[in-house]
Amino acid sequence: AARGHFPAVYDRLLGVPGVGPTLAAAICYEVGDICRFANDRHFVSYCRLVGRAAESGGRKKGVRGRAEGNAHLCEAFHQAAGGLLRAAEEARRWASEGPGSEERVRAVLAAKLARCVFH
């Protein structure tokens, strides 16, 4: 969302289920230019919506170090997931059959919303 494209990106974000005016503005400002991310995986990782893993020599080690990425985007997408669950019957139905606890459902939906926003 380069500075000149802000209104267009903002308007498109308003079309994402669960994203209202405040979240759309927050996402626009926190993301900046989405083209800086190579792909949706990098974007979702930057949003802190996937687990971190340390790997060395092909073997997974424990996760260590401080959290990287943008905590504001993480919160924004979790709030959008909550809004989606309130707004869409299909999302509620999926959640009732879905991946487990309410916290886990919101985390999965937040990551899916971030992928949608990237594309």
Side-chain angles (χ1 to χ4, degrees):
R3 194 170 256 200
H5 300 299
F6 181 86
V9 172
Y10 175 82
D11 289 340
R12 290 185 77 186
L13 282 171
L14 288 176
V16 176
V19 176
T22 305
L23 287 178
I27 291 169
C28 280
Y29 283 118
E30 293 297 331
V31 170
D33 185 7
I34 197 122
C35 295
R36 66 191 175 118
F37 301 102
N39 55 40
D40 60 340
R41 288 173 153 179
H42 288 174
F43 179 65
V44 173
S45 176
Y46 177 75
C47 295
R48 293 186 180 184
L49 297 171
V50 293
R52 300 176 333 146
E55 194 173 305
S56 177
R59 300 177 77 177
K60 288 193 175 194
K61 309 280 186 177
V63 176
R64 58 189 179 271
R66 66 181 180 84
E68 295 180 16
N70 191 309
H72 301 292
L73 283 172
C74 180
E75 180 62 27
F77 281 112
H78 273 85
Q79 287 183 19
L84 176 62
L85 287 169
R86 286 188 299 277
E89 176 61 35
E90 187 175 338
R92 286 192 298 275
R93 192 170 37 252
W94 174 83
S96 68
E97 304 165 358
S101 70
E102 183 179 339
E103 184 178 316
R104 177 72 181 138
V105 166
R106 284 179 68 151
V108 170
L109 279 177
K112 287 180 182 290
L113 283 170
R115 276 195 178 80
C116 291
V117 164
F118 177 82
H119 290 289

